Amino acid sequence: MRDALVAAAFRLFLERGYEQTTVDDIVALAGVGRRSFFRYFPSKEDVVFPDHERCLADMKEFLATGDDGSEPVGRVCDAARMVLRMYAENPTFSVQRYRLTKQVPGLRAYELSVVWRYERALAEYLRGRFAGRRDGTLRADVIAAAVVAAHNNALRSWLRSDGHGDAGATVDHALGYVRSAFGSPPQAPVGEGLPEDVVVVVSRRDAPLWRVVQELEAALGRG
Amino acid sequence: MRDALVAAAFRLFLERGYEQTTVDDIVALAGVGRRSFFRYFPSKEDVVFPDHERCLADMKEFLATGDDGSEPVGRVCDAARMVLRMYAENPTFSVQRYRLTKQVPGLRAYELSVVWRYERALAEYLRGRFAGRRDGTLRADVIAAAVVAAHNNALRSWLRSDGHGDAGATVDHALGYVRSAFGSPPQAPVGEGLPEDVVVVVSRRDAPLWRVVQELEAALGRG
């Protein structure tokens, strides 16, 4: 029933346009009543993005049940890949929706709010992992935003190519860039796997020395 | 007239709540007609954020007239500070609006779209600066998102403190984190050349700081 409603909705959106299609049109084509529609979708906008709620719930569960010994940036990258997989499961549908969303300002606003919820889920996880660290919430928010931006850059490039090419490889490459910028465990110093009395500082070669010393002081707990 | 409308709107929003205040209420209190309101503000939501359009235009102009010899990440950080200054110009108003926005979902959605426009302005600038570079658009999008996230983390922390404290210093610190992650000129052999531009220093936790800094200087070739 749910799938039939989504299929009917997209057939009409593509034929007539999104604004010109009413919920009544959709339920008439799907052969069900209005109440059935609203049982599955709070609004017409929601039928355009039928899988985000499930994906968001899956992502939160993935992060909540995670191994706390894992490297946190890698972990949120893995979580972001769940969104990519949802899109890649059905390339034709994803490309159609991408084109539709570009044309309808209301859908773009909806999409922004969805993206924001994914970003918050990643940031909340990282805030937990970085709790008690210096600048923990700052790092969490920045890394979550960078992961989402990299993922979306790659996803959009795949959608613009009409779903051809290897979406997974494109996203991996993009996330690799973020990991190269932030991959040093921000709790850096005492990686869980390291002896207590060893400190590892990973720095870009061209970072200003004062910044590296600052990190070092924080790592040594002397800041 | 414009300022009087904003003042009247906020007085009513705070007294009665945002949803309970109509445009008619606002114009009645300000002593003007409905048409005057809509000459300045397309909708009731816009009166809550009266300065973003101007700030966004100023930011775009700042970036467009910029010195192309400047370091691009530093340049977008400077652009982001323009938003902070707009908030810091009027702390009381900014704090009131922050509280209001937290309570009204429609205003949060509006704010998301505004943030997205700032982020796009920064990303477009960086895309221009990185044009022709490997992964230019990816880097541009990720850095713009990181700058916006850092700025907003600092801005929210200042707003939560009721506008006390040094907003500029808080934002500078947050942007410093982004610059330390991405500050290297993007034409530098980043990404694939990772080992080349990353320095790893391993030290005993109880080593004297001067000794570690000495090692670090040697590693960075600046000893």
Side-chain angles (χ1 to χ4, degrees):
Chain A
M1 163 93 77
R2 194 171 183 279
D3 291 347
L5 283 165
V6 173
F10 267 81
R11 189 168 143 193
L12 293 170
F13 294 159
L14 296 174
E15 279 175 16
R16 308 181 184 179
Y18 175 78
E19 304 289 7
Q20 290 73 42
T21 301
T22 65
V23 169
D24 285 331
D25 298 333
I26 297 168
V27 298
L29 182 61
V32 302
R34 274 178 72 87
R35 283 179 56 193
S36 301
F37 182 92
F38 289 108
R39 193 176 311 141
Y40 293 106
F41 306 107
S43 73
K44 192 172 80 168
E45 283 167 353
D46 293 284
V47 76
V48 179
F49 305 94
D51 300 317
H52 278 302
E53 289 300 334
R54 172 183 60 77
C55 187
L56 196 64
D58 288 351
M59 179 191 278
K60 287 179 180 172
E61 193 188 338
F62 170 78
L63 291 170
T65 58
D67 168 16
D68 270 4
S70 62
E71 196 274 305
V73 181
R75 188 89 189 150
V76 292
C77 288
D78 288 344
R81 286 189 184 89
M82 299 172 76
V83 182
L84 191 269
R85 277 199 295 277
M86 179 190 70
Y87 279 82
E89 265 170 21
N90 195 340
T92 309
F93 177 68
S94 296
V95 170
Q96 283 175 349
R97 176 171 60 190
Y98 173 66
R99 292 189 191 142
L100 187 66
T101 304
K102 281 211 296 186
Q103 290 161 11
V104 182
L107 294 180
R108 283 210 302 278
Y110 186 101
E111 197 172 48
L112 275 186
S113 74
V114 168
V115 169
W116 184 79
R117 290 170 68 202
Y118 283 118
E119 190 173 317
R120 292 327 300 162
L122 301 183
E124 286 306 321
Y125 169 78
L126 290 173
R127 283 172 173 227
R129 293 296 303 272
F130 299 165
R133 311 281 179 190
R134 179 201 283 233
D135 288 334
T137 73
L138 170 64
R139 287 163 191 242
D141 289 0
V142 169
I143 294 171
V147 166
V148 167
H151 173 277
N152 288 348
N153 176 286
L155 173 61
R156 278 193 305 268
S157 121
W158 178 73
L159 291 168
R160 273 197 306 271
S161 78
D162 292 340
H164 297 304
D166 185 343
T170 311
V171 164
D172 285 349
H173 176 74
L175 294 174
Y177 172 58
V178 174
R179 293 193 71 170
S180 77
F182 296 108
S184 67
Q187 72 271 48
V190 238
E192 272 76 25
L194 286 168
E196 281 274 307
D197 62 345
V198 170
V199 168
V200 179
V201 172
V202 181
S203 162
R204 301 186 69 92
R205 180 171 289 278
D206 51 7
L209 188 59
W210 64 266
R211 161 88 43 203
V212 183
V213 172
Q214 203 179 55
E215 298 266 331
L216 194 61
E217 285 180 328
L220 295 168
R222 299 177 202 172
Chain B
M1 163 95 76
R2 194 172 182 280
D3 291 347
L5 283 165
V6 173
F10 267 80
R11 187 167 146 194
L12 293 170
F13 294 160
L14 295 174
E15 280 175 16
R16 308 182 183 179
Y18 176 78
E19 304 289 7
Q20 289 73 42
T21 302
T22 66
V23 169
D24 285 331
D25 298 333
I26 298 167
V27 297
L29 182 60
V32 302
R34 274 177 73 85
R35 282 178 58 193
S36 301
F37 182 92
F38 289 109
R39 195 177 309 141
Y40 293 106
F41 305 106
S43 72
K44 191 173 79 169
E45 283 167 354
D46 292 283
V47 77
V48 180
F49 305 94
D51 300 318
H52 277 303
E53 290 299 334
R54 172 183 61 78
C55 186
L56 195 64
D58 288 351
M59 178 190 279
K60 286 179 181 173
E61 193 187 337
F62 170 78
L63 291 170
T65 57
D67 167 18
D68 271 5
S70 62
E71 198 274 304
V73 180
R75 188 90 189 148
V76 293
C77 287
D78 288 342
R81 286 189 184 89
M82 299 172 76
V83 181
L84 190 268
R85 277 199 295 276
M86 179 189 71
Y87 279 82
E89 265 170 22
N90 196 339
T92 309
F93 177 68
S94 297
V95 170
Q96 283 174 350
R97 175 169 63 190
Y98 173 68
R99 292 189 190 141
L100 187 66
T101 304
K102 281 212 297 187
Q103 290 160 12
V104 183
L107 294 180
R108 283 210 302 278
Y110 186 102
E111 195 172 50
L112 275 186
S113 74
V114 169
V115 169
W116 184 78
R117 291 171 68 201
Y118 284 117
E119 187 172 318
R120 291 328 298 161
L122 301 182
E124 287 306 320
Y125 169 78
L126 289 173
R127 283 173 173 226
R129 293 296 303 273
F130 299 166
R133 311 274 178 198
R134 180 200 286 236
D135 289 333
T137 72
L138 170 63
R139 287 160 194 243
D141 289 1
V142 169
I143 294 171
V147 166
V148 167
H151 173 276
N152 288 349
N153 175 285
L155 173 61
R156 278 193 304 269
S157 123
W158 177 73
L159 290 168
R160 272 197 306 271
S161 79
D162 292 339
H164 296 304
D166 185 343
T170 311
V171 164
D172 285 350
H173 176 76
L175 294 173
Y177 172 59
V178 174
R179 292 193 72 171
S180 76
F182 296 109
S184 71
Q187 62 272 36
V190 202
E192 277 66 31
L194 189 63
E196 279 198 20
D197 66 348
V198 168
V199 170
V200 180
V201 173
V202 182
S203 161
R204 297 190 63 89
R205 179 170 286 277
D206 54 4
L209 188 59
W210 64 266
R211 161 83 57 198
V212 185
V213 172
Q214 205 176 52
E215 299 262 335
L216 193 61
E217 284 180 326
L220 293 167
R222 297 178 203 168

